[in-house]
Amino acid sequence: MSFRLYLLLVLVPLTAAGNLIAGKFALRSFSPSQANALRYLLALVVLLPMLRRWPRPTRKELAMLAATGLLGICVYNLLFFEAMRLIPLSEAALLEMTIPAASLALARGILRERISLRQVVGVVVSFAGALWLLRILPPGASAVKTDADWRGEALMLLSVACFAVYSIISKLAMQRLPPPAVATWSCLWGTVPLLLLSVPSFLASRATLGEASLESWLGVLYGSLIGFVFNIIAWYYCFREAGVAKTNTFLYLVPIFGALLAMMIFGERLTGWQVFGAGVTFGGVLLATLERKPVPPLEDAAVVK
């Protein structure tokens, strides 16, 4: 592969991680529903004209795309953004590492897909690592946690479960439709409930848009144009040029980059045991998901964020 392609493979997870930082800034002026409604509405302005390039979805596919929009764009982001208001962004980002393992476990439970013993061990190891990330282990670590910590972590785990279900449905939709088409239709279906939730609050406080800080607007713009639109196009290009397995491997860096950026920008700190838990989780994810042979395209956190 060329140096340019390797650079893009690193840039995709880095810009996706930057999306987490942008979301934190957006929350300084907007609520979770307002911030996400604005960024996905702007993304639609860019993406909708591209729909003509891709096959039209069938009725069955439209139903699946509506589900991916509701889960992956609306519910997941509302839960994640609310969690960011309660717990450190670095912790929230690292908890996202459990998404591939959760998706694999759900694929076994819902789709009855066969998974190997190695993958089962990887899922178990990944979830075990989360116990240290959540400060449940070692014994006594949870004593310093506040009610806000528990609520934020519960919301984060719900968002992981939500995205895992989204991943299963989007995998089915991608059997015929290309990933950018699935992401665009998901964006369309997910933006509708976000607007229904946010428009009343904008009307009740019409000064919100005008009084929002510059950093919050930049967070919305980044999350829309770079974190979502650019990532869709760049991820699909890497998928075609480098292959699914290699691209997915690089995308596992998103939570790590996100945690590092949060620590550098917001001065957040993780305990030594949380760092240990992150390492265990990452090892479990690699064990569960890396394949020796090319596999059909599977979901990734960078596709919808």
Side-chain angles (χ1 to χ4, degrees):
M1 294 193 303
S2 67
F3 172 77
R4 183 177 300 178
L5 182 56
Y6 270 114
L7 183 63
L8 188 59
L9 283 168
V10 174
L11 190 61
V12 168
L14 184 59
T15 53
N19 194 29
L20 306 179
I21 306 299
K24 192 76 170 180
F25 281 119
L27 286 175
R28 293 184 175 180
S29 298
F30 302 111
S31 69
S33 61
Q34 290 172 337
N36 283 292
L38 289 171
R39 68 186 189 128
Y40 287 114
L41 186 62
L42 179 59
L44 278 179
V45 174
V46 179
L47 291 173
L48 279 180
M50 301 182 187
L51 277 181
R52 69 186 69 177
R53 301 181 180 181
W54 302 311
R56 288 187 176 184
T58 63
R59 289 185 178 180
K60 182 179 179 180
E61 289 169 338
L62 279 175
M64 288 190 291
L65 293 169
T68 61
L70 181 62
L71 292 172
I73 297 294
C74 182
V75 179
Y76 164 77
N77 280 289
L78 290 178
L79 292 171
F80 184 81
F81 271 56
E82 191 62 40
M84 282 198 296
R85 300 169 75 174
L86 298 171
I87 61 175
L89 178 58
S90 53
E91 181 182 344
L94 289 174
L95 284 172
E96 282 197 306
M97 280 198 294
T98 59
I99 287 177
S103 300
L104 191 63
L106 283 176
R108 175 66 180 90
I110 298 176
L111 301 180
R112 300 299 179 184
E113 291 186 358
R114 297 183 61 183
I115 60 176
S116 65
L117 178 61
R118 173 180 59 82
Q119 291 174 312
V120 172
V121 172
V123 170
V124 173
V125 170
S126 179
F127 289 154
L131 296 178
W132 280 277
L133 276 173
L134 293 167
R135 290 176 290 172
I136 295 175
L137 290 176
S142 62
V144 299
K145 293 172 63 172
T146 66
D147 289 342
D149 291 329
W150 287 108
R151 291 198 304 272
E153 289 168 351
L155 289 173
M156 195 60 223
L157 292 177
L158 285 174
S159 73
V160 167
C162 182
F163 198 88
V165 176
Y166 151 80
S167 301
I168 299 300
I169 302 173
S170 65
K171 179 183 178 182
L172 297 174
M174 288 181 195
Q175 291 178 348
R176 191 180 73 91
L177 299 172
V182 173
T184 302
W185 279 104
S186 298
C187 183
L188 177 61
W189 287 108
T191 302
V192 173
L194 286 173
L195 287 174
L196 293 175
L197 290 171
S198 60
V199 168
S201 62
F202 279 129
L203 292 177
S205 180
R206 300 187 181 185
T208 300
L209 294 174
E211 295 178 355
S213 65
L214 177 61
E215 61 186 13
S216 291
W217 277 115
L218 290 176
V220 168
L221 289 172
Y222 182 98
S224 175
L225 301 180
I226 305 298
F228 191 73
V229 176
F230 169 78
N231 255 288
I232 291 171
I233 298 171
W235 176 82
Y236 189 46
Y237 175 81
C238 291
F239 161 68
R240 290 190 305 173
E241 297 298 321
V244 177
K246 185 165 291 187
T247 301
N248 284 352
T249 302
F250 276 86
L251 290 177
Y252 295 148
L253 295 173
V254 174
I256 297 175
F257 283 161
L260 292 175
L261 287 173
M263 289 187 282
M264 289 188 294
I265 295 174
F266 300 118
E268 297 181 359
R269 291 293 180 267
L270 294 167
T271 68
W273 283 112
Q274 284 180 302
V275 174
F276 170 76
V280 172
T281 302
F282 186 63
V285 168
L286 291 181
L287 188 64
T289 58
L290 289 185
E291 299 285 348
R292 295 179 180 178
K293 298 179 180 180
V295 295
L298 189 61
E299 80 302 325
D300 275 290
V303 178
V304 176
K305 281 288 176 177

